[in-house]
Amino acid sequence: MKARDVPGWLRDTVLRLFPHAAPHGVERIGRPGPTAPVLVTGNFTLTVRRVKQTLAGRDAWLLVANSNGINVWCAAGGGHLSHHEVIAAIRASGIGQLVQHRDLVLPQLSASGIERRKITEATGWAATWGPARLEDLPEFLDRGQRVKKAHRFMRFPLWERLEMALVWTVPMTLMTVAAVGFIVGWHAGFVAAAVTVLMVSALFAALPWVSLTGRGRLMTYGAVVVLGFATGIGALAVLGELSGASLLALAIVSVGGMSVLSVDLTG
């Protein structure tokens, strides 16, 4: 990543919970010719950025379909990215005039919303599913657009879990500091914000080893709430800010934060 790309990466990453649309149409990666592969994605800005970074040094056509600025997985599941959008992108972009073949590579995570047969019937383009994760895309292309069985499965490595923790903690801590700070006091507000960061980061880091389904999820969220509340009490005691109001605010932040996060993680 180049230095000039850092602000855009940071913006797209921190705000990835919200739709952020990139232009749709055809993007050139490298210097693609008429035989270069055609890869399809949605027009979520962060996704487009990461596809380009993953394929840096290669030649390919990137067909960006209109997913209303939502990531591929969520857009396909929510009806924002279907074969209709892919068909429209093929017809409107003029990609057929840029390549000699009629082969598309679709993101595997869009399978819940896209019917490949419909694309072929409407346009004559044949479509195949790529790997589940972007980092496996170069090997997929090197293997003649064939996917290893292992690459059909999603992975959620630590760096990505902590990235998602960052995505959640930014809006949650801003709201926590403002609400608790104005009502109870700024020391209590910053302690509550720090507790929020601790709880969210701890939960995402521990995801492979904790349960988020059945009765186990109550133990998981309960343990994180206890961790955050106990840490907050210690911090408030050190600052000399222990009071009924600060403890009540800390309890609301601890329970409320995990309640909000549990909705997303359950989904």
Side-chain angles (χ1 to χ4, degrees):
M1 182 187 302
K2 297 180 180 179
R4 67 172 181 269
D5 296 328
V6 172
W9 170 84
L10 188 60
R11 175 201 64 212
D12 294 342
T13 300
V14 171
L15 299 177
R16 67 181 292 174
L17 287 179
F18 308 98
H20 187 193
H24 45 86
V26 176
E27 296 263 5
R28 294 174 181 265
I29 299 177
R31 301 178 63 182
T35 61
V38 178
L39 311 172
V40 176
T41 191
N43 71 327
F44 183 51
T45 302
L46 185 60
T47 300
V48 174
R49 181 188 300 276
R50 288 185 169 175
V51 171
K52 291 179 178 179
Q53 291 174 347
T54 300
L55 296 179
R58 293 173 178 266
D59 300 322
W61 300 98
L62 183 61
L63 183 61
V64 182
N66 184 10
S67 62
N68 291 319
I70 302 172
N71 70 78
V72 165
W73 199 349
C74 295
H80 299 282
L81 180 61
S82 69
H83 45 274
H84 298 294
E85 283 71 37
V86 177
I87 292 168
I90 293 171
R91 290 173 172 171
S93 66
I95 184 64
Q97 300 173 14
L98 300 175
V99 296
Q100 297 173 349
H101 61 84
R102 292 294 181 268
D103 298 311
L104 291 175
V105 177
L106 299 169
Q108 180 180 303
L109 295 186
S110 67
S112 61
I114 294 177
E115 291 186 56
R116 294 184 301 170
R117 177 176 56 84
K118 297 289 187 180
I119 297 174
T120 303
E121 290 175 353
T123 66
W125 285 71
T128 187
W129 301 115
R133 291 187 57 88
L134 275 180
E135 61 260 34
D136 299 324
L137 198 51
E139 185 175 351
F140 165 80
L141 294 174
D142 290 340
R143 288 169 53 86
Q145 300 186 19
R146 291 183 294 110
V147 179
K148 282 184 176 180
K149 183 178 180 180
H151 293 172
R152 287 295 185 204
F153 299 92
M154 278 301 295
R155 303 183 298 276
F156 200 13
L158 178 61
W159 72 266
E160 201 166 68
R161 299 199 303 275
L162 294 180
E163 182 182 83
M164 285 304 302
L166 173 66
V167 169
W168 275 101
T169 54
V170 169
M172 290 174 72
T173 53
L174 290 176
M175 290 187 291
T176 298
V177 168
V180 178
F182 277 114
I183 297 173
V184 180
W186 292 109
H187 284 155
F190 285 111
V191 168
V195 165
T196 299
V197 173
L198 172 65
M199 292 192 303
V200 175
S201 300
L203 181 57
F204 273 100
L207 278 183
W209 303 283
V210 298
S211 174
L212 296 179
T213 59
R215 294 181 179 178
R217 73 182 187 279
L218 299 179
M219 296 182 61
T220 297
Y221 293 123
V224 176
V225 168
V226 170
L227 169 66
F229 188 66
T231 303
I233 290 176
L236 289 171
V238 169
L239 295 173
E241 296 289 336
L242 273 178
S243 66
S246 63
L247 289 176
L248 177 60
L250 186 61
I252 293 174
V253 167
S254 301
V255 176
M258 281 300 99
S259 297
V260 170
L261 193 58
S262 69
V263 174
D264 179 70
L265 291 178
T266 298

